[in-house]
Amino acid sequence: MLVLEVLHGTATQAVFECRETPITIGRAAANTIALDNVHLSSEHGTIRREGNTHIYRDLRSTNGSALERAGHRIAIDATRNFECVIEHGDVLVLGSLKQPVMLRVRVSQRSETSDDAEAGSDGAGTEHIIAKRAIGDLPSVATQLEHDPVSALRVYKALQRLSARVDEGATLATTAEAIFELLPRATHVTILLRAEVDRDKYVIATATQRDGQALAASDVRASRSVLRRVLADRAGLLLANAAQELSASQSILAANIQSTIAVPLWRGEDIIGVVQVDNRSSGMFLENDLEVMLLIASQAALAIDNARLFAQVTRAADQARGENSYLKQRAHKAEFTQIIGEAASMKAVLSQLERVINTRATVCIEGETGTGKELIASAVHYQSVRRDKMFVAQNCATLPEHLLESELFGHKRGAFTSADSDKKGLFELAHGGTMFLDEIGEMPQPLQAKLLRVLQEGTIRAVGAVEEKAIDVRIICATNRDLQAEVDAGRFRQDLFYRLMVFPIRLPPLRERREDIPLLAAHFLRRFCDEMRVVVDGFTPEALLALQHYHWPGNIRELENEIQRVVIGAEPQQPIDIGMLSPKLRSVDAAATRTPAGEGTLKEQMDQVERWLLTEALRKHDNNKTRTAATLGITREGLHKKLAKFGI
């Protein structure tokens, strides 16, 4: 029982004992609690009961309402949707703040229990709940249908279509179709499902009307009061005169709902959603309609579970295919022991990486294009405890913004014109593993904000999705830009910069580790010879010297491409000679640096250079001595003398 004691604001002080709700408060005589105060509206507010909770609602009164609790005053206004839970000891403050009506709230548990026993079991407002059915009533409902073969056949045919649906959206649509087919009085159907992340939150999954058209957002009237009542009672409810039963709920009143059926979607003892069926025209739902809805809900819950399970299996298959694709591209997993590098600068890099392998720290690899940043990132992954999960790489400079967002975070069907199905993003594919973001400095700023959220919250949101999904991904990034300069120029977020620069690593360019060039060249030579099934007898000393003294602006990638080109044109069983290398490697500047210091006298070293120049000039002119002599600025006779001198 609820006891309201008038403390201030009326000439007559009184105590009101209220055994039933709704309780109306106002100046008009027809109210449950009629109070003579000019500052009150005729119908100022109501109190309703939901389970063991009492809720006060201000009916948009002229002077408003408030609540005093523990010395603090709480305004019951639009920020609270004009509602507030009231508890034992609270004081309602109604009307003018200068001369308010003040009502102390007392909840008598003993009286409430006895009242409930007298009322039957429904507590407040039982005269408007026409029927209530729990999940335990389902067998008796099915038994009743056995005695009505015509109705049983209609129900069977309507629900049979649910078993053929494997998509959640199609399952929800078929459920609504079955409801409209079996309940002729139904005009609108709304299905709410529990959110996957926030299990206390229920979101509208579908809302439709009898003609099959989806409801506009402004016309969706899924009442929070209905949802709370179903969850509290854990039963399906048939409410007649819905507006009065739900204490003037704004969503019920605005839709002119005459009667409502609301049933939970059960998964065992768990409620995964609620189906609300409205009658917004003439006539009322019958008790038999509630029983039919109980059957529909039981089959719909099973079908929704099956659809979600099918989706999970499909996602797992997609992930497996994705894993196979990525693993095939990386048949040889990179490890630090397989990385070629004897230079001191490379040994220092590998030593640093050993310390960060099994941490969650974000690694940012800086270095010029072609220095092997992805190889290093792959090695960190496959040496870590995440090695059994995916290593996924994406170059941020290769796709426009909207495609890159879809690639990284995925998208929902219908999110944009070409999105004809759901797509899992690379972050979700890499769950439990490592995500490598190459050229991070090229990432558009809107996506930088989404990446920052991944680093801060560990969640992603697909394009077109309303819910976030938790992921566990370690991020390794790489850049050939100066990120600090990008921050200073306003092209890169400073907060993201600090998140990424937890453990920066600089890879040296190939020109700073020339002693590794012969090792790398030999490695690529073996690889391409195996691929092309040819046997090449290594490099000549001159060819190796040319490789070592070239400045390699494209770094290791350029060296790899050079060796591949050479192997294609190589003669079997013959060494790679300097003449087979690209012209840029045989330039005059390179030739001058190719003669090692300290090997012979100055004249002997100059003779080596001159011999090489003569050989190159002849090769360029296909051994045409006249053109060769003209190019070198000497006579044909002079050319013959020099060729004879060097035995060419």
Side-chain angles (χ1 to χ4, degrees), residues 256-269:
N256 191 29
I257 296 175
Q258 302 300 313
S259 60
T260 290
I261 293 177
V263 294
L265 296 169
W266 274 290
R267 183 197 290 138
E269 293 298 317

Side-chain angles (χ1 to χ4, degrees), residues 51 98 110 181 187 210 217 236 317 335 438 471 575 578 588 595:
K98 293 182 179 179
R110 181 173 55 81
E181 183 177 331
T187 60
R210 177 166 285 279
E335 297 181 359
D438 200 4
I471 59 165
I578 190 171
V588 176
T595 304

Side-chain angles (χ1 to χ4, degrees), residues 546-601:
L547 293 174
Q548 277 189 285
H549 288 89
Y550 180 61
H551 61 286
W552 298 109
N555 293 292
I556 298 174
R557 187 178 296 122
E558 185 182 5
L559 174 61
E560 180 182 9
N561 294 339
E562 175 70 17
I563 302 303
Q564 184 180 26
R565 188 196 61 77
V566 166
V567 172
I568 292 173
E571 293 291 334
Q573 308 295 333
Q574 297 296 318
I576 303 298
D577 187 58
I578 190 171
M580 301 172 64
L581 301 180
S582 300
K584 59 189 176 184
L585 274 75
R586 304 193 309 269
S587 65
V588 176
D589 291 339
T593 59
R594 197 168 293 125
T595 304
E599 293 186 6
T601 64

Side-chain angles (χ1 to χ4, degrees), residues 174-319:
T174 303
T175 300
E177 292 171 3
I179 292 171
F180 287 129
E181 183 177 331
L182 297 175
L183 273 66
R185 298 176 183 84
T187 60
H188 297 74
V189 171
T190 304
I191 301 177
L192 299 95
L193 297 178
R194 186 173 58 197
E196 293 184 14
V197 177
D198 185 355
R199 293 176 62 83
D200 293 328
K201 182 180 180 181
Y202 288 78
V203 296
I204 295 174
T206 186
T208 185
Q209 49 194 352
R210 177 166 285 279
D211 61 6
Q213 295 296 317
L215 291 176
S218 59
D219 200 30
V220 175
R221 303 295 177 183
S223 170
R224 291 182 301 139
S225 301
V226 172
L227 175 64
R228 286 196 293 260
R229 176 66 60 83
V230 170
L231 295 177
D233 292 357
R234 299 182 63 79
L237 304 174
L238 166 56
L239 296 93
N241 195 358
Q244 186 175 355
E245 162 61 17
L246 295 170
S247 305
S249 167
Q250 292 300 307
S251 60
I252 297 293
L253 287 173
N256 191 29
I257 296 175
Q258 302 300 313
S259 60
T260 290
I261 293 177
V263 294
L265 296 169
W266 274 290
R267 183 197 290 138
E269 293 298 317
D270 197 16
I271 296 177
I272 65 170
V274 172
V275 182
Q276 178 180 323
V277 185
D278 299 334
N279 178 353
R280 302 189 188 181
S281 60
S282 59
M284 305 290 286
F285 286 125
L286 303 177
E287 189 170 341
N288 181 62
D289 294 329
L290 174 60
E291 294 172 348
V292 171
M293 275 303 304
L294 203 66
L295 287 170
I296 295 174
S298 67
Q299 293 301 307
L302 179 61
I304 291 170
D305 260 355
N306 288 340
R308 288 181 170 179
L309 180 60
F310 181 81
Q312 291 174 2
V313 172
T314 302
R315 286 196 297 268
D318 289 343
Q319 182 168 359

Side-chain angles (χ1 to χ4, degrees), residues 9 65 146 204-205 352 379 417 503 529 609 616 642:
S65 306
E146 292 178 1
I204 295 174
Q352 285 181 287
T417 304
F503 197 87
C529 284
V609 173
E616 276 296 290
K642 290 184 178 292

